[in-house]
DNA sequence: TGTACATCAGTGAACGCGCGTTCACTGATGTAC
DNA sequence: TGTACATCAGTGAACGCGCGTTCACTGATGTAC
């Protein structure tokens, strides 16, 4: 039953992608190897032909999941380089949407697995660190581009804003998800408030800073 | 071996507190009933004299853990009502400290277990919703008090700021923890940037809003 | 190009282990008289 | 206030189950000649 090298590689990536969806939905500890391999369409014994351990899989899943989203984000932001980016506003709006809140499996790996990462080994945290640095670079570039002059030549300011933005996004989605079933109104409010805070702030630009939010 | 009612209640609370520390450190799925009862100084069979199931325990742990911190925060903020609160600034500074990052077991339940909460049942999410509402009320009151006039009589503004603040705090600590072992510099940077962003913003008050951050 | 053999991605049974939960039992506390 | 009995927080063995991992085996692919 030996397969083509291409076919084997494809199967391997399919296992990683399937694991990504399951881990984000049910947590790392909430998904067994047997569950995973069955969901991917295989028997569980074959898992160890691809990965030396579950932990190694988790590290690959985190890296792959974060990179896929980063590529998408970079592309969306690059497509409208130069003009005052509405792509960033769209990204923020989608990240803080109820659709993203409900779509754990297909959503951002940070918002789903960041607190699992704290309890994982160095290998997994390395994947997270790489994915986060990558996303910060993309966001930083996006902040630097359109406002290069107006920022007053302080190069670190864009990175500061990127780090702060990512923190808000991840925290808001996590809190919204933590109360989604028990208190949907509060969950909606958390998303809405942060959406307006971040997008209103952007719209008002550097003029008045934090001001009235309707 | 029947115990005094008071002694039994004390043992029960001791199990809840021990579970709080273990759950925050290793996650809900990372701690077994046997581990927990052993850590609390009992044999595992007695667990079901106190709780109908592990899920019920998790709900009580979340409620108790969040409320304990809320009481402490409320007290700290109430102690200096009227004057321009430095207690809030101190809370923010401690929340975003490396000490808090490293002290998962004794730290904030939201920062440790919020993403586990998303995968738990309605009972557990109810505890989180209650604890979050409580903390938001405390923070909202703190925002309203000193600046009552200057806010221009918009009552929801304080709550908006409270929700946004909590989102930043939780997101920042989670991200910092996710990369702590693999990239300590990035982890420190995430905490530092958000500390300066929040505290700088407060210091500058409603004057200039987001401005220069050193 | 054709043949012989090593490789390896699959299968499915099995391993030991720890999980959440249940059970019969103990004996001091709480309660009814 | 004293006696008799029900209650229940403990103990520790046991339940079935699913976990991560290992294993012998299969057979088409990849490779050496």
């Amino acid at each position: 039953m030996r397969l083509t090298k291409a076919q084997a590689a494809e199967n391997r990536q399919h296992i990683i992608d399937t694991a990504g969806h399951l881990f984000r939905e049910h947590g790392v500890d909430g998904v067994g190897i047997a569950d995973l391999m069955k969901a991917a369409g295989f028997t569980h014994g074959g898992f160890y032909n691809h990965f030396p351990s579950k932990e190694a899989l988790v590290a690959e899943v985190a890296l792959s999941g974060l990179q896929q989203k980063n590529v998408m984000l970079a592309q969306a932001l690059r497509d409208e380089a130069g003009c005052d980016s509405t792509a960033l506003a769209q990204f923020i709006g989608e990240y803080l949407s109820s659709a993203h809140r409900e779509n754990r499996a297909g959503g951002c790996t940070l918002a789903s697995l960041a607190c699992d990462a704290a309890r994982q080994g160095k290998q997994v945290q390395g994947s997270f660190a790489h994915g986060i640095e990558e996303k910060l670079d993309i966001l930083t570039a996006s902040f630097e581009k359109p406002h290069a002059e107006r920022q007053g030549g302080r190069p670190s300011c864009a990175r500061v804003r990127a780090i702060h933005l990512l923190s808000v996004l991840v925290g808001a989605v996590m809190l919204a998800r933590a109360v989604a079933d028990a208190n949907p109104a509060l969950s909606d409010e958390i998303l809405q408030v942060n959406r307006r805070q971040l997008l209103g702030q952007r719209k008002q630009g550097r003029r008045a800073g934090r001001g009235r939010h309707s």
Side-chain angles (χ1 to χ4, degrees), chain A residues 1 28 33 44 53 75 90 96 101 120 199-200 203 211:
Chain A
M1 269 215 180
V28 170
I33 303 295
H44 64 276
S53 68
Q75 211 146 35
Q90 195 185 332
L96 295 177
R101 176 188 60 199
Q120 301 285 328
L199 295 175
K203 268 184 213 140

Side-chain angles (χ1 to χ4, degrees), chain A residues 62-63 66 109-110 113-114 117 123-133:
Chain A
L63 200 64
L66 289 168
T109 300
L110 291 177
L113 297 178
Q123 203 183 159
V124 175
Q125 293 203 9
S127 294
F128 273 84
H130 187 271
I132 289 172
E133 281 282 23

Side-chain angles (χ1 to χ4, degrees), chain A residues 13 77 81-82 96 114 126 131 140 167 188:
Chain A
Q13 188 59 47
L77 293 176
L96 295 177
T140 299
S167 303
D188 287 341

Side-chain angles (χ1 to χ4, degrees), chain A residues 76-90 92 141-148 150-151 161 198-207:
Chain A
L77 293 176
R78 201 186 309 117
D79 283 354
E80 45 175 316
C83 66
D84 196 315
S85 170
T86 63
L88 183 58
Q90 195 185 332
I92 293 171
S142 159
F143 280 127
E144 271 167 351
K145 246 179 281 166
H147 305 292
R150 275 174 278 167
Q151 290 294 352
R161 294 176 68 197
L198 292 174
L199 295 175
Q201 195 172 285
R202 271 183 53 76
K203 268 184 213 140
Q204 291 164 18
R206 244 105 317 283
R207 253 189 309 126

